[in-house]
């Protein structure tokens, strides 16, 4: 596992292919990638408070003295001429993809309900699409293949302007505290069973614990909803050469309302071999909506592989991310809620 300060890549491609996990890889892999990804975010506090309305409001204040370069408010107009963008070293297909986006924007109308007020929790954040940006403007301003982590932070964001989701009641800190208590209670039950049934094989003890594990999962789901954390995400892992084309489709269809409530893509940290993209849905337990987004990703060709097969991707709820529940955890809770293979079969 990479240690703090380790100079190797955050992600090793051979280690992110997992069948029974929230990412790619075989079932026995402990998902080195996910632990490395935890280091990828600046800090727990950033993740915990990033969507807090008070934090968002503070970052949006004009000339706020505490704003860092990563959170600097955007100028009134963020539009750029294509000739001003980073053209050198971009994937060969990106110009055609940008032209397709331009054509799409000219020919298609927004799916936002008539009269609805467009919403963007990231308004004023330089690392996100603004309501004044067309998808093309945003993609030209911040192409993920060349946008540096040092310049804008680890992620670029796009919000569905018609999303019904509002983070006003989100309480991540409270969820983590109470969720960790539930996990600790389960471990106590587990240790009691292991002591009581020492003569049994581990598999038999696991079977006896199944009802308690099911109850734990149900309680975590209820707690997540009560704390305003219903969301989850499908996870894609394009290479740096693929990321611009993949992200351009995600942005275009998120803004149009045809995908989920938001999406994010990893920026260029100069070492990673893959660029994670997370496509979020409003409610991880709404299987119909989760499947709808998956089918759209498939329709867009984002599940296609080079050998002509369909990739198996995974969906993880944000509640499990906040509790750091990974593949092979001691609670034997499956880290991913859904796989595309299961949903599409």
């Amino acid at each position: 596992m990479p240690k703090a300060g380790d100079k190797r890549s955050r992600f090793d491609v051979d280690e992110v292919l997992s069948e029974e996990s929230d990412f790619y890889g075989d079932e026995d892999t402990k998902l080195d990638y996910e632990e490395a990804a935890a280091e990828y975010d600046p800090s727990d506090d950033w993740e915990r408070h990033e969507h807090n309305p008070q934090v968002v409001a503070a970052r949006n204040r004009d000339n706020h003295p505490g704003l860092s370069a990563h959170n600097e408010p955007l100028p009134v107009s963020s539009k750029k001429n294509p000739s001003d963008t980073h053209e050198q070293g971009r994937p060969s297909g990106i110009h055609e993809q940008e032209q397709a986006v331009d054509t799409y924007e000219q020919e298609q109308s927004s799916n936002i309900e008539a009269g609805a007020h467009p919403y963007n929790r990231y308004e004023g954040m330089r690392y996100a699409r603004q309501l004044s940006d067309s998808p093309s403007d945003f993609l030209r301003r911040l192409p993920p293949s060349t946008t540096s982590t040092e310049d804008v932070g680890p992620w670029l964001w796009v919000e569905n302007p018609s999303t019904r989701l509002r983070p006003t009641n989100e309480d991540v800190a409270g969820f983590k505290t109470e969720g960790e208590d539930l996990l600790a209670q389960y471990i106590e039950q587990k240790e009691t069973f292991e002591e009581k049934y020492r003569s049994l094989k581990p598999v038999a003890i696991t079977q006896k614990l199944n009802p308690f594990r099911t109850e734990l999962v149900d309680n975590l789901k209820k707690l997540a909803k009560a704390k305003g954390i219903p969301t989850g995400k499908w996870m894609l892992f394009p290479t740096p050469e693929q990321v611009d084309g993949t992200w351009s489709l995600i942005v275009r269809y998120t803004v149009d309302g045809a995908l989920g409530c938001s999406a994010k893509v990893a920026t260029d940290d100069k070492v990673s071999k893959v660029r994670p993209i997370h496509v979020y849905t409003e409610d991880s337990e709404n299987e119909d909506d989760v499947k709808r987004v998956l089918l759209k990703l498939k329709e867009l060709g984002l599940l296609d592989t080079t050998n002509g097969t369909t990739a198996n991707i995974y969906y993880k709820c944000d509640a499990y991310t906040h509790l750091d529940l990974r593949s092979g955890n001691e609670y034997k809770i499956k880290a991913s809620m859904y796989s595309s293979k299961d949903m599409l079969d």
Side-chain angles (χ1 to χ4, degrees):
M1 292 303 304
K3 308 296 184 189
D6 194 344
K7 296 186 181 300
R8 79 172 197 172
S9 168
R10 287 188 312 243
F11 313 107
D12 289 333
V13 171
D14 291 340
E15 298 174 344
V16 298
L17 302 170
S18 177
E19 194 69 33
E20 170 77 19
S21 73
D22 30 345
F23 300 101
Y24 296 107
D26 95 7
E27 185 172 351
D28 296 328
T29 301
K30 294 297 183 182
L31 236 44
D32 287 359
Y33 161 77
E34 193 170 15
E35 293 184 359
E39 298 176 6
Y40 177 74
D41 286 318
S43 68
D44 286 340
D45 286 336
W46 176 271
E47 180 179 351
R48 181 178 304 146
H49 300 299
E50 181 177 6
H51 303 153
N52 185 291
Q54 292 178 324
V55 175
V56 172
R59 288 175 175 170
N60 285 338
R61 289 173 190 154
D62 292 338
N63 302 317
H64 190 284
L67 285 172
S68 68
H70 291 180
N71 304 321
E72 180 182 344
L74 287 166
V76 174
S77 175
S78 60
K79 295 178 183 286
K80 289 188 177 182
N81 188 292
S83 63
D84 295 333
T85 58
H86 302 285
E87 298 296 334
Q88 299 299 321
R90 300 180 71 183
S92 59
I94 190 62
H95 300 293
E96 290 79 1
Q97 289 153 354
E98 286 179 346
Q99 290 171 1
V101 172
D102 287 337
T103 301
Y104 173 85
E105 289 164 6
Q106 294 168 7
E107 295 179 350
Q108 303 295 325
S109 62
S110 174
N111 283 341
I112 302 173
E113 295 179 8
H117 182 67
Y119 172 75
N120 184 16
R121 75 173 73 183
Y122 306 108
E123 197 69 8
M125 309 302 177
R126 65 184 302 230
Y127 53 77
R129 176 190 173 264
Q130 304 299 291
L131 291 174
S132 60
D133 289 339
S134 70
S136 293
D137 294 331
F138 175 52
L139 293 165
R140 289 170 182 145
R141 177 166 61 87
L142 294 170
S145 63
T146 55
T147 299
S148 170
T149 302
E150 291 183 0
D151 290 341
V152 299
W155 300 102
L156 302 177
W157 285 87
V158 61
E159 183 93 351
N160 175 353
S162 61
T163 182
R164 298 165 298 174
L165 189 69
R166 299 292 186 270
T168 52
N169 65 334
E170 188 178 79
D171 180 11
V172 176
F175 171 76
K176 291 181 70 172
T177 297
E178 295 182 38
E180 287 165 0
D181 286 343
L182 289 173
L183 294 174
Q185 291 169 20
Y186 174 80
I187 290 300
E188 289 181 7
Q189 292 173 324
K190 176 176 177 289
E191 292 173 347
T192 298
F193 267 72
E194 289 173 342
E195 179 64 26
K196 183 176 181 179
Y197 298 105
R198 282 182 295 177
S199 61
L200 295 180
K201 293 181 179 180
V203 66
I205 296 176
T206 297
Q207 290 174 347
K208 286 184 174 293
L209 284 168
N210 279 340
F212 297 98
R213 188 180 303 107
T214 299
E215 182 182 15
L216 170 62
V217 170
D218 288 343
N219 287 337
L220 288 174
K221 289 179 179 179
K222 291 175 184 176
L223 179 63
K225 227 158 217 191
K227 297 296 183 180
I229 309 171
T231 49
K233 62 269 185 182
W234 286 108
M235 295 171 287
L236 303 170
F237 298 93
T239 65
E241 293 74 26
Q242 300 166 332
V243 69
D244 281 337
T246 302
W247 180 238
S248 69
L249 289 171
I250 297 295
V251 169
R252 157 184 160 182
Y253 284 94
T254 298
V255 171
D256 193 54
L259 279 173
C261 56
S262 62
K264 70 179 181 180
V265 62
T267 51
D268 181 18
D269 69 350
K270 310 303 182 188
V271 293
S272 297
K273 296 178 181 178
V274 292
R275 295 290 189 82
I277 294 177
H278 294 176
V279 180
Y280 290 83
T281 71
E282 293 180 353
D283 186 349
S284 61
E285 293 190 67
N286 185 341
E287 291 192 34
D288 289 341
D289 189 51
V290 171
K291 185 173 183 178
R292 177 191 64 78
V293 172
L294 173 63
L295 290 172
K296 191 63 181 181
L297 293 173
K298 185 175 186 297
E299 177 189 322
L300 295 173
L302 299 182
L303 273 61
D304 295 344
T305 65
T306 54
N307 62 7
T309 61
T310 299
N312 188 23
I313 64 173
Y314 296 89
Y315 183 100
K316 186 173 184 178
C317 65
D318 287 342
Y320 285 5
T321 298
H322 291 309
L323 291 176
D324 200 26
L325 288 177
R326 307 175 184 178
S327 178
N329 59 78
E330 61 181 321
Y331 319 101
K332 298 191 182 299
I333 294 175
K334 188 177 179 181
S336 58
M337 288 187 69
Y338 314 109
S339 75
S340 60
K341 182 177 182 299
D342 290 341
M343 275 202 160
L344 297 175
D345 281 348

